[in-house]
Amino acid sequence: MTTWDGFQSFATTPVAAPPPPGASRRSLEERLAYHSRFVTVRTPAIDALAKNVRTLMILGRHQAVTARPSLIVTGPAGAGKTTALLQVGRACHLAHTRRHGAAAVAGQVPVAYVLVPPAASAKTLATEFARYLGIPVAAGMPQAQITGAVCHTYTSAGVQLVMIDEIHRLNPRTTTGAQSADLIKDLTERIGATFVYAGIDVTTTPLFTGVRGAQLAGRASLVDCAAFPARLGDSEPFRDLVKAMEAALDLRHHRPGTLPKLAPYLHERTAGRIGSLARLIRQAAITALVDGTERITMTTLEAIRLDHLAEQHYRPRARLRSRRTSAP
């Protein structure tokens, strides 16, 4: 995904989809593969990010004097930030191809996706940008030379959207972190693209502190990928999410409505995080296929071990309920 060939393959591969009504039955192997990939449910965060990115790309299209306005996708771990980022990147790539035609866009790279490496220095981060487009980097090449090659190549390739993930790894309070933050600022001013960042609880990190943090905060707006609430006014966002995921299952004996009825349990089990919920439902579906039951029940869900963050949230609550139930 962090190379152009990998991202292009991701963007152009048809998304997983449940079988349409009346379609012939898929084999066990096909359904195992399907539930392994599974669908991406369109969430409010994805909609908000897509709308904001589209608007900012138009806003900055003819802005040549200063850096274009940017976006930061923030939220807790497992809240779907990377998924939202990649879905918007895919949409941007496909829209560019539809607008100009596949033949016309040969050699063009509308979208770039870069991960901030751990303890990134300006040189290692610049190297990640170079690696995405296959720009050769020699061992002794200075950082300024790498940056120059990156800016020239990205501009020549027509990059319109740059997505930088794991931005919380940058700490401008350290020397290397400050240099990396300065590099990103330099890139935003030299590459004619809209920059979108994603990271865990970015507003609580050092990224928004000091002079560099003030510059970033002054240019970037936030899209919050918060955990789904059980209830929001008269609506039940989490139950709606569960219902959408259940509708995408390809299990022959699953009873529709089972999972929405378990929404309170699922919310407590996953703390409302879409990443944990998707993993739980996917694992439960694969378990149901492997053991032949072809349906998801409370027993199926309880037998699955989730990510440690979700388990730490759920188990203490489960123990507390147990003590209350057994109290005289």
Side-chain angles (χ1 to χ4, degrees):
M1 199 73 75
T2 54
T3 65
W4 166 234
D5 288 342
F7 185 85
Q8 186 179 35
S9 175
F10 158 77
T12 55
T13 299
V15 297
S24 59
R25 286 187 172 185
R26 297 194 281 196
S27 69
L28 175 61
E29 285 303 319
E30 288 174 326
R31 291 186 295 139
L32 285 171
Y34 164 69
H35 288 101
S36 177
R37 292 177 61 198
F38 209 45
V39 298
T40 298
V41 176
R42 189 85 181 185
T43 64
I46 293 178
D47 289 337
L49 181 59
K51 180 179 179 180
N52 278 278
V53 167
R54 185 166 57 250
T55 302
L56 290 186
M57 289 179 72
I58 296 172
L59 179 65
R61 187 172 294 163
H62 302 291
Q63 183 172 329
V65 178
T66 59
R68 290 163 169 76
S70 56
L71 277 172
I72 296 178
V73 185
T74 186
K81 298 179 297 299
T82 296
T83 298
L85 200 65
L86 291 175
Q87 291 305 310
V88 170
R90 182 209 294 269
C92 178
H93 173 87
L94 295 177
H96 181 79
T97 303
R98 285 194 303 269
R99 189 162 54 246
H100 301 287
V105 300
Q108 295 185 18
V109 181
V111 179
Y113 176 70
V114 176
L115 283 178
V116 176
S121 66
K123 185 172 182 178
T124 58
L125 183 55
T127 301
E128 286 299 302
F129 275 87
R131 188 170 69 86
Y132 182 81
L133 284 187
I135 303 169
V137 176
M141 189 179 291
Q143 180 243 312
Q145 187 178 353
I146 301 172
T147 302
V150 164
C151 293
H152 172 76
T153 308
Y154 274 53
T155 300
S156 300
V159 176
Q160 300 173 9
L161 177 65
V162 177
M163 305 183 298
I164 305 178
D165 209 349
E166 306 289 348
I167 194 69
H168 58 271
R169 289 177 172 172
L170 290 185
N171 183 359
R173 292 176 182 172
T174 66
T175 301
T176 55
Q179 292 170 349
S180 299
D182 287 342
L183 170 67
I184 290 179
K185 180 177 180 294
D186 189 28
L187 294 176
T188 64
E189 292 172 347
R190 296 174 63 183
I191 299 173
T194 298
F195 279 67
V196 181
Y197 315 95
I200 297 173
D201 297 330
V202 173
T203 54
T204 64
T205 69
L207 201 62
F208 269 19
T209 61
V211 175
R212 293 177 177 85
Q215 286 180 326
L216 180 61
R219 291 177 174 176
S221 50
L222 289 177
V223 173
D224 193 357
C225 279
F228 275 68
R231 182 174 291 278
L232 186 63
D234 294 330
S235 64
E236 297 181 79
F238 188 79
R239 188 185 297 274
D240 293 340
L241 177 64
V242 171
K243 186 176 180 180
M245 287 189 177
E246 184 186 66
L249 292 173
D250 190 5
L251 300 173
R252 292 170 185 169
H253 304 308
H254 183 78
R255 295 180 180 177
T258 299
L259 296 185
K261 288 179 182 177
L262 294 174
Y265 158 77
L266 292 170
H267 191 272
E268 186 173 6
R269 182 80 192 273
T270 64
R273 287 189 290 267
I274 188 172
S276 298
L277 176 67
R279 175 174 170 177
L280 179 60
I281 292 178
R282 287 166 57 218
Q283 284 188 234
I286 290 172
T287 299
L289 287 168
V290 171
D291 66 21
T293 59
E294 297 265 355
R295 63 178 180 270
I296 298 176
T297 65
M298 182 70 162
T299 302
T300 315
L301 296 167
E302 276 287 274
I304 291 172
R305 295 290 295 178
L306 265 181
D307 57 276
H308 184 65
L309 192 62
E311 292 295 344
Q312 285 296 102
H313 168 84
Y314 175 67
R315 296 304 173 190
R317 292 172 178 266
R319 288 194 292 271
L320 179 61
R321 286 200 310 273
S322 177
R323 286 197 297 269
R324 286 175 175 172
T325 303
S326 60

